[in-house]
């Protein structure tokens, strides 16, 4: 039984995703906070193991772990993704590619949800990864990925121009990246799913009182989920 290996891999990757997201979030938040405010550099550790250790020591003081709930959620999610992908694809290019995309979109999800910024560095890395995987392993033409990127960017650009403040430049670039990842016509499905999820999320936030109608609501997390669901449901990437 190899599932303990994939649990361990999920923990390591999840901790790495949290570390990268923490650094990026700290960078963007430092641009909006007081310049004199300083914070400690994010730690690279496995939060789940720290929680277990504190519990074994009969300590319930978890305040020393920043963003505890998010860090645990990311690690558990990546563990689930690792186990699922291994059961579906085994040792294959699909396993590696989908795991890489899961990490990429997890970072985008977390950073935008916590800061309202979609990191250009991650978008650029994602574009390089998508093109490299398409050229190295895919039997599908690169033109499908490029067409998907153009369609994604073109579809979202008018929305940002019509309703300024609802969708930012980062969301438009992310739509282009999603098109590059899933190609055409998969980009239509991924973006449509992201739009539906975004609408439902906004409705829930407004009904719960957490947000008002004209408040800023991060959109990239819903697009990231829409892309990953499309990939996991079998959109052809190889």
């Amino acid at each position: 039984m190899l599932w303990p290996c994939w649990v361990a891999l999920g923990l390591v990757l999840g901790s790495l995703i949290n570390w990268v997201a923490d650094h990026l979030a700290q960078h963007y938040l430092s641009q909006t906070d007081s310049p004199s405010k300083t914070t400690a550099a994010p730690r690279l550790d496995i939060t789940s193991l720290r929680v277990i250790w504190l519990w074994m020591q009969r300590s319930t003081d978890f305040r020393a772990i920043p963003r505890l709930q998010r860090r645990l959620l990311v690690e558990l999610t990546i563990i689930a993704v690792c186990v699922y992908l291994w059961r579906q694809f085994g040792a294959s290019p699909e396993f590696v590619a989908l795991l890489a995309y899961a990490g990429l979109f997890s970072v985008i999800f977390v950073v935008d949800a916590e800061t309202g910024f979609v990191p250009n560095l991650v978008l650029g890395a994602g574009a390089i990864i998508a093109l490299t995987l398409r050229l190295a392993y895919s039997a599908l033409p690169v033109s499908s990925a490029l067409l998907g990127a153009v369609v994604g960017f073109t579809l979202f650009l008018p929305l940002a121009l019509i309703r300024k403040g609802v969708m930012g430049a980062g969301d438009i670039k992310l739509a282009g990246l999603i098109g590059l990842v899933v190609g055409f016509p998969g980009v239509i499905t991924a973006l449509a799913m992201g739009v539906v999820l975004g609408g439902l999320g906004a409705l829930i936030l407004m009904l719960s009182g957490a947000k008002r109608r004209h408040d800023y609501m991060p959109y990239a997390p819903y697009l990231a989920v829409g892309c990953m669901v499309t990939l996991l449901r079998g959109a052809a990437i190889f």
Side-chain angles (χ1 to χ4, degrees):
M1 295 180 64
L2 294 176
W3 67 265
C5 298
W6 308 124
V7 170
L9 177 61
L11 284 172
V12 172
L13 291 179
S15 66
L16 182 60
I17 290 168
N18 278 322
W19 182 70
V20 173
D22 283 341
H23 272 282
L24 290 171
Q26 186 179 90
H27 168 72
Y28 286 115
L29 290 175
S30 67
Q31 297 179 353
T32 57
D33 291 340
S34 171
S36 62
K37 183 178 179 180
T38 58
T39 55
R43 292 180 55 182
L44 176 59
D45 62 11
I46 299 177
T47 302
S48 301
L49 297 184
R50 286 182 66 190
V51 169
I52 293 173
W53 173 255
L54 289 172
W55 178 79
M56 292 177 63
Q57 298 297 311
R58 298 295 189 269
S59 173
T60 57
D61 186 6
F62 302 115
R63 290 172 295 180
I65 305 177
R67 302 184 178 94
L68 172 62
Q69 294 180 341
R70 183 261 282 172
R71 294 178 67 88
L72 287 176
L73 182 59
V74 168
E75 290 180 3
L76 294 176
T77 300
I78 298 301
I79 288 173
V81 169
C82 280
V83 174
Y84 172 81
L85 292 178
W86 179 256
R87 290 173 62 89
Q88 293 294 316
F89 302 104
S92 66
E94 287 89 344
F95 174 81
V96 176
L98 290 172
L99 196 56
Y101 286 138
L104 177 80
F105 287 113
S106 293
V107 171
I108 292 173
F109 184 111
V110 171
V111 175
D112 189 50
E114 294 185 353
T115 70
F117 290 93
V118 181
N120 287 323
L121 179 63
V122 180
L123 292 174
I128 294 172
I129 291 171
L131 286 174
T132 301
L133 290 173
R134 181 76 66 166
L135 289 169
Y137 296 108
S138 179
L140 300 175
V142 177
S143 59
S144 171
L146 297 177
L147 178 59
V150 172
V151 169
F153 188 89
T154 304
L155 285 176
F156 268 47
L157 181 59
L159 296 176
L161 295 177
I162 292 171
R163 300 190 63 186
K164 293 183 179 181
V166 175
M167 191 172 297
D171 299 316
I172 302 171
K173 288 181 282 188
L174 176 58
L177 174 61
I178 289 172
L180 199 62
V181 170
V182 300
F184 183 85
V187 62
I188 304 296
T189 302
L191 294 182
M193 190 173 300
V195 169
V196 172
L197 291 173
L200 291 174
L203 180 62
I204 292 171
L205 289 172
M206 287 188 292
L207 290 176
S208 65
K211 293 284 187 179
R212 296 180 180 179
R213 182 178 178 181
H214 298 291
D215 288 345
Y216 171 78
M217 299 184 190
Y219 210 79
Y222 303 106
L223 296 177
V225 171
C227 183
M228 281 309 303
V229 171
T230 302
L231 287 171
L232 294 176
R233 290 185 62 188
I237 58 172
F238 291 106

